[in-house]
Amino acid sequence: MSDSPDETPAPSLDFVREKVAADVASGRYGGRVQTRFPPEPNGFLHVGHAKSIYLNFGIAEDFGGSCFLRFDDTNPETEDVSYVDAIQQDLEWLGVAPSGPVRYASDYFEQLYDWAELLITKGLAYVDDQDKETISEQRGGFGQPGVESPHRDRSVEENLRLFRQMRDGAFDDGARVLRARIDMQADNMWLRDPVLYRIRRVPHHRTGDAWCIYPTYDWAHGQSDAIEGTTHSVCTLEFTDHRALYDWCLDQLDLPSDRPEQTEFARLNLTHTVLSKRTLRLLVEQGHVDGWDDARMPTVRGLRRRGYPAAALRAFTDHISVAKTNSVVDIELLESFVRTHHNRHALRRMAVVEPLKLTITNWPVGADGTAHVEWMDVVNNPEDETAGTRSVPFCGELWIERDDFMADPPPKYFRLTPGREVRLRSAYFVTATEAVLDDEGNVVEVLATYDPTTQGGTAPDGRKVKSTMHWVSRPHAVDVTVHRYERLFRSKHPGADGNDPLDDRDPNSRITTLARAEPALGEVAAGDVVQFERLGYFAADLDDPAVFHRTVGLRDEWANIQKQR
RNA sequence: UCGCGGGUAGUUCAAUUGGCAGAACACCGGACUUUGAAUCCGGGGGUUGCAGGUUCGAUCCCUGCCCCGCGAACCA
């Protein structure tokens, strides 16, 4: 491999990678780099998680380190194995492979418990008998100090005895908690004697009935990182205030000096999109979408059904980089990465989504009275010569796009209109002669003549046409169901200004039609994405390949022209 | 009210850490075109939140202010 260092300057690193690079350079952690992706198994992954996933796995890749998958399963009330499985499937689809076996915070429950006793022994934790509301009130407020619990100064022996009784099931759910003994005056609320253990008689999806006390996030997370040997514990901004507690817990445990360091970054926000678990759940529960894997959902499963390739997701997250600034990325940027990917890889096919009859009046009829059929050679992908060509049947009875004909067009309309000649892609030049109307004046059919000398789509005399249109032979058409999607939310920032995002839903976010397509569309495999020429990229449904989801439309200059009017 | 984090084109990020503020997407124009796509070329866009200070020189360092976000679960 030859490289010329002066030519391409190294791309600037994001602030997290910069930090990692500095640690590697200084020999911290012995030059080791280890990250982790720590989902709670209580919901489906969405595009925001993808950012975190590609960040954590990407860092490990870039620095020759490892990245673990660890389920933070400390709250059995909301968690379930089904999510454990779903999350692993999604990760696989995203194209990342966790280092080593899958880990669970619940694997460390025994160690966590022992450390809690150690804390008690050191006089740094105590059992509190007060209820949730009282503890919350005593926590105080911003700018006001908290009040110490009357149980704060229990003896080590009593604390140990009570804590063991908690574990043994001597108390009712919620009756007692274990609290860290830190500082009720701290500016940082998370240092005001946070709860470390709570009593919950709920079976855990992995440990079953073995425990009736469960550690909180703050008591489990940092230690799990440390147990696994994490060096860089990357999380989102809302955990910033927890970092002091993360460090405090680790500080008390006589761990090796190279304990993990938490770094926070801004989570992903997208325009016209909601990523809050609560709202996503409501969309599903209230039936506004078909499910978590509905093609309009920003979940990994939804994007997958929609036809967003994992490679585009990754290119997108690499591009937007990572920072501490709260930001909202324009969804169009994501779409642009999706288009770029499919433009290179998707086969082109012809399908008519809003069909209108086009009849060629001078098309030859065979001796037996049936219409003549000609098989046209059509390029599969102009961006990829190796994709070859296919044969598409053509005859005098066609479907064209309703938008592609106007009896009385506005200026700059290049498509079919009475008296104008256009090209039918890879077939012939045709000239519209007449629009057939129904009783209400709607165009129901267009009559046209074709020029037999323009076979394949070029005129021997060199004359040009302004427009090329897609078409489908009526006798050969296959019917497919096509879902075209609009954004789920109309406003750029749904839920801003305290509005309920659900009030901002576009009720017509899915438009479904029966499209007419060339025969080859019947052979598209489930999950494959093809370009419907001039319309956009469409993904064959994962379960039913006769159903297509519009992944994203093509750039549409004509739409821009119309918008300007 | 207190603490923490943040503020650079419309948007997301850069700016070799004090040396002519750039890129991508979006937008506009042109070329090319058997997809009004793609591709290629060009263009508009900025009081670097504001005001002072240090300096030959400040997006960068200092001071004050403003605005935005997060934080008072036995959620994560």
Side-chain angles (χ1 to χ4, degrees):
Chain A
M1 205 161 115
S2 70
D3 53 345
S4 40
D6 347 285
E7 274 182 22
T8 45
S12 61
L13 298 179
D14 61 72
F15 84 101
V16 184
R17 269 177 251 250
E18 227 166 62
K19 209 172 204 177
V20 175
D23 288 342
V24 169
S26 73
R28 176 135 91 129
Y29 304 117
R32 215 167 47 81
V33 173
Q34 186 174 315
T35 56
R36 96 270 97 108
F37 175 64
E40 184 187 13
N42 73 345
F44 292 94
L45 261 29
H46 56 60
V47 63
H49 294 110
K51 174 180 177 181
S52 172
I53 288 161
Y54 287 132
L55 208 216
N56 278 295
F57 283 88
I59 288 171
E61 265 173 41
D62 292 355
F63 294 92
S66 46
C67 180
F68 287 7
L69 168 63
R70 180 183 71 240
F71 288 99
D72 258 356
D73 54 352
T74 57
N75 185 1
E77 285 180 304
T78 58
E79 296 158 6
D80 192 80
V81 251
S82 63
Y83 295 115
V84 171
D85 297 338
I87 287 169
Q88 289 187 79
Q89 287 163 9
D90 287 349
L91 283 169
E92 192 180 338
W93 181 78
L94 286 168
V96 296
S99 310
V102 176
R103 328 283 162 132
Y104 299 83
S106 54
D107 290 343
Y108 316 132
F109 279 176
E110 199 64 50
Q111 171 72 80
L112 259 12
Y113 177 85
D114 289 345
W115 275 335
E117 286 207 352
L118 174 67
L119 221 54
I120 292 171
T121 308
K122 289 181 160 189
L124 293 172
Y126 61 96
V127 173
D128 197 338
D129 306 351
Q130 303 180 105
D131 61 27
K132 200 183 218 172
E133 292 68 33
T134 309
I135 290 176
S136 175
E137 279 163 26
Q138 288 176 351
R139 188 116 47 208
F142 304 131
Q144 293 141 359
V147 174
E148 297 188 348
S149 164
H151 307 111
R152 196 169 196 265
D153 295 316
R154 286 219 246 238
S155 69
V156 169
E157 292 67 31
E158 189 182 6
N159 278 319
L160 232 32
R161 182 176 53 78
L162 288 170
F163 187 46
R164 286 171 184 162
Q165 286 182 298
M166 278 173 62
R167 176 179 184 165
D168 292 342
F171 309 120
D172 290 343
D173 283 16
R176 285 183 162 86
V177 290
L178 184 75
R179 286 229 261 169
R181 194 171 185 277
I182 309 180
D183 179 7
M184 291 306 290
Q185 333 281 319
D187 287 325
N188 183 339
M189 288 292 169
W190 288 100
L191 262 20
R192 317 257 264 217
D193 291 9
V195 170
L196 267 24
Y197 272 93
R198 69 283 219 194
I199 304 172
R200 286 287 176 284
R201 253 163 275 253
V202 177
H204 186 280
H205 62 99
R206 297 198 78 241
T207 61
D209 302 324
W211 296 86
C212 67
I213 58 171
Y214 292 98
T216 55
Y217 164 85
D218 290 290
W219 185 244
H221 195 86
Q223 284 88 307
S224 299
D225 281 346
I227 289 167
E228 293 171 357
T230 302
T231 57
H232 300 268
S233 180
V234 182
C235 63
T236 43
L237 246 31
E238 66 269 26
F239 291 99
T240 303
D241 288 340
H242 292 249
R243 187 175 62 239
L245 180 54
Y246 181 104
D247 290 343
W248 182 91
C249 292
L250 261 21
D251 279 343
Q252 316 313 321
L253 302 178
D254 305 317
L255 261 18
S257 59
D258 63 345
R259 60 152 202 236
E261 182 185 339
Q262 174 179 309
T263 302
E264 311 87 17
F265 71 94
R267 58 154 22 107
L268 174 67
N269 295 295
L270 286 173
T271 57
H272 301 286
T273 307
V274 166
L275 294 178
S276 97
K277 217 173 263 183
R278 193 192 80 90
T279 308
L280 257 24
R281 189 184 312 279
L282 288 175
L283 286 171
V284 174
E285 285 173 357
Q286 297 180 3
H288 303 306
V289 295
D290 294 344
W292 289 95
D293 58 353
D294 186 291
R296 289 106 108 198
M297 290 288 274
T299 50
V300 170
R301 295 158 107 76
L303 297 176
R304 179 183 181 183
R305 188 177 293 276
R306 177 84 170 246
Y308 277 38
L313 252 29
R314 176 147 205 174
F316 167 74
T317 53
D318 285 350
H319 179 89
I320 59 173
S321 188
V322 45
K324 280 177 121 78
T325 319
N326 281 306
S327 59
V328 184
V329 180
D330 203 325
I331 185 97
E332 288 181 26
L333 183 61
L334 210 203
E335 292 173 344
S336 136
F337 277 90
V338 172
R339 281 196 198 97
T340 300
H341 178 95
H342 286 317
N343 178 50
R344 275 196 293 271
H345 300 104
L347 296 180
R348 311 294 118 125
R349 293 291 182 261
M350 291 193 285
V352 173
V353 160
E354 298 281 357
L356 174 65
K357 280 182 183 176
L358 176 73
T359 302
I360 300 175
T361 51
N362 60 337
W363 186 254
V365 175
D368 58 354
T370 59
H372 173 64
V373 176
E374 189 173 338
W375 291 79
M376 315 306 299
D377 224 26
V378 185
V379 168
N380 280 327
N381 184 354
E383 306 292 319
D384 177 10
E385 222 169 273
T386 67
T389 61
R390 68 191 184 281
S391 279
V392 184
F394 182 91
C395 69
E397 297 173 9
L398 303 168
W399 293 113
I400 61 167
E401 209 65 60
R402 185 160 286 278
D403 283 356
D404 283 343
F405 176 82
M406 284 185 94
D408 186 19
K412 291 193 188 167
Y413 183 85
F414 300 152
R415 281 113 94 149
L416 200 56
T417 185
R420 180 183 295 162
E421 184 174 52
V422 301
R423 171 167 43 232
L424 295 178
R425 166 131 236 216
S426 303
Y428 289 98
F429 285 8
V430 295
T431 305
T433 52
E434 188 188 338
V436 181
L437 308 181
D438 67 9
D439 296 341
E440 289 160 8
N442 302 308
V443 177
V444 293
E445 183 178 3
V446 176
L447 304 183
T449 57
Y450 86 115
D451 177 351
T453 70
T454 57
Q455 206 269 0
T458 42
D461 63 5
R463 74 180 189 277
K464 304 282 191 196
V465 288
K466 290 280 269 180
S467 176
T468 299
M469 296 168 18
H470 61 282
W471 50 269
V472 168
S473 165
R474 261 140 63 194
H476 303 89
V478 296
D479 289 351
V480 293
T481 299
V482 167
H483 297 302
R484 278 125 84 206
Y485 299 110
E486 297 301 325
R487 323 215 120 108
L488 219 34
F489 300 96
R490 299 207 68 98
S491 88
K492 210 166 179 183
H493 304 286
D497 308 325
N499 298 323
D500 184 348
L502 292 176
D503 295 340
D504 179 48
R505 286 173 31 253
D506 182 347
N508 301 313
S509 59
R510 178 167 68 189
I511 298 162
T512 303
T513 59
L514 197 63
R516 322 286 172 159
E518 62 167 287
L521 211 66
E523 292 151 29
V524 176
D528 280 2
V529 176
V530 296
Q531 184 196 95
F532 289 1
E533 291 229 26
R534 303 205 303 136
L535 297 178
Y537 299 98
F538 290 76
D541 186 72
L542 265 6
D543 303 315
D544 179 0
V547 172
F548 284 82
H549 306 277
R550 183 171 68 186
T551 309
V552 61
L554 260 26
R555 276 194 64 229
D556 189 351
E557 193 178 313
W558 173 237
N560 284 350
I561 291 169
Q562 287 173 303
K563 233 180 281 174
Q564 280 168 32
R565 302 156 66 85

